[in-house]
Amino acid sequence: MKPLTLIRSSSALRAAPVALLLVFAYYATDLGDDLRLDPLGYSATVVDSVLRNLMPVAFAVASGLAAWEARKLGASGVWRLGALRSRYTVAALHLCPVVALAWLLLILPTLCALAQKQVVPDPPGLTLLAFALVLCVAHGIVGFALGAAIGHIAVVPIIAVTDFLAIGWSTGLSIPWPRHLTGLFAGKMMFGELPTPAAIAAPLLLAVGSACAAALLWAPVNRWLRGAVAAALVFACAFGSFSLVSNWSYIGPRSTGHGTLTCAGQSPRICLPEARAEHISALTEEAEATLETLRRAGLPAAPASLTDTSLNVRYPEPSTKDRWNVPLGAGEATGTVPYQIAREAVRFECAPPATSPARLVYYWVSSKIGQPDTYLKRLSSEPDFTAQERSRLQERVAEVLQLSKAQQLGWYEKTVAEACEEGGKTT
């Protein structure tokens, strides 16, 4: 059959206007919340926001229309004709338009979202998209096999609705492992994140294994043998997938460090997401001035690098003596970069320190770099920070600021030690 004839006769052509209209209507109305997250130039964040919402629709379209095509071929008696072409060739030809439509339901909204957020596709984002496209093919093959085996017209809506609900149903369960087998990754993909190979392999193993088992049912071998092999393959793939995800929490494992960074300066070296590179010169100057102020106050503030915390939001890393993790992006947006850096200069030998001494220390260091109100604003959200406590804090630190540099440093070291001797709540 010629390609144009195949397309004109396919149910995918008739379903395409309705499916695309529904998908873009959903994109325009319900995807806004997911797309509000700043991707920081990282396309996987944008791609994941689209896929998590539209993959169930694409899978249902792939499996439902594939079942329709298989039923149509069975009703026309194609399977009873002579073997001019193998069943696999016939199935592949009729699956192509169906899979192409399912792919369009994912690719077009993804391109629109990338354009809307002005993000260029990068390898992590393309990896997620390719992963979803492979799953579409697997769902189409399984739907085709079921449609060919059952043959009744009622199987088409049943397959489509069941596929859609099975994917969406997994997100509402109290146990997390079913979701990890659907290909929907719980939790937004933060900057630099990507599912680990195991998180990608688990749903692929189940879906591709089931598709291969469905294809084996048409192998030119003994009926009972191919049925047994197909059943064994499905069981093995399902068991293998479950073994991978059975102990995972709601959010599956993620690898980090895939985002593109921009670094500048020496001692300290400032590292930011590439999308914020335009701010790096101003941040470098502000950071150097703040560190110099802290050193003049007697604090050991000579880190080798300052890294924006947006690089490890989900898995935060504690700062070390030489490498400080600072919310530079958030600080730049709110004008609080000196305060954010100053907090990292304070080092307690315990966790958590006592509340009262720790507040004194943080307020003193905030005052030294000229942003005491920033810390007070932060404290105002804590229920135990009353007006009386605020006055006491201001009065005590004001007294300390009147002392000599050596006396202030001595008070600082003594108060830091007291915070760990007393113990208490975190600040």
Side-chain angles (χ1 to χ4, degrees), residues 40 190-193 256-257 261 273 307-319 323-327:
L40 299 176
M190 309 303 290
F191 178 80
E193 288 187 348
T256 58
L261 306 181
T307 303
D308 190 12
T309 53
S310 61
L311 308 185
N312 45 28
V313 173
R314 196 181 307 279
Y315 307 110
E317 298 178 3
S319 296
R323 178 183 173 125
W324 292 9
N325 295 310
V326 183

Side-chain angles (χ1 to χ4, degrees), residues 65 67 72 93 115 125 247 275 284 286 303 321 338 384 399 412-413:
L65 293 182
K72 182 176 67 175
L93 288 174
N247 295 323
T284 300
E286 198 166 15
K321 178 181 178 181
D384 66 330
E399 294 174 0
Y412 167 81
E413 294 174 348

